[in-house]
Amino acid sequence: MSLISMKKKKGMQSLGSILTRFNPIEDKYISREFQKYGIYLSEQLNDEKHKALYIKLAKQVHRSILEEALSFVKAANKPRSRGRLFMWKLKQLRQE
């Protein structure tokens, strides 16, 4: 069994493939996937002011719940505050 096939079975990636996807300007301080997803949430909700909150939520809350709350906000017709609506729906989904 070759070293490459062993790496594929364990889910490891080559350093070259990781470096080709890394953007040093955009991903300067991001080292984990949940951080990138938290920033994605803040951008989608037009709430960059609360990036840390969305990163924390991405780390602690199951992704399906976050996706459902985000899709609810995207479907809303001109909400006053997307962030506030997202948090309200997230609270509602977590209670269920």
Side-chain angles (χ1 to χ4, degrees):
M1 188 179 262
S2 70
L3 183 61
I4 295 171
S5 63
M6 285 174 37
K7 286 182 181 178
K8 287 183 181 178
K9 284 186 177 182
K10 292 183 179 180
M12 295 179 65
Q13 300 172 349
S14 70
L15 183 59
S17 67
I18 293 171
L19 289 176
T20 57
R21 288 182 277 129
F22 178 72
N23 183 351
I25 295 170
E26 185 178 310
D27 300 333
K28 191 172 181 180
Y29 300 109
I30 300 172
S31 62
R32 310 247 186 233
E33 189 275 333
F34 69 87
Q35 292 171 326
K36 188 159 188 136
Y37 187 72
I39 291 173
Y40 166 77
L41 282 175
S42 72
E43 290 171 352
Q44 291 296 310
L45 298 170
N46 295 328
D47 194 12
E48 280 86 21
K49 188 177 179 181
H50 298 109
K51 268 190 262 189
L53 170 67
Y54 297 115
I55 291 172
K56 182 180 178 187
L57 288 172
K59 184 177 182 180
Q60 295 176 347
V61 179
H62 198 271
R63 190 64 49 94
S64 63
I65 296 173
L66 294 173
E67 285 291 327
E68 193 172 338
L70 181 61
S71 66
F72 177 81
V73 172
K74 285 183 175 181
N77 189 14
K78 297 182 182 178
R80 274 193 214 159
S81 172
R82 289 175 166 235
R84 183 177 286 177
L85 184 61
F86 177 81
M87 294 304 287
W88 172 79
K89 186 63 177 176
L90 184 63
K91 180 182 176 185
Q92 199 176 48
L93 290 170
R94 289 175 89 179
Q95 287 177 349
E96 290 177 358

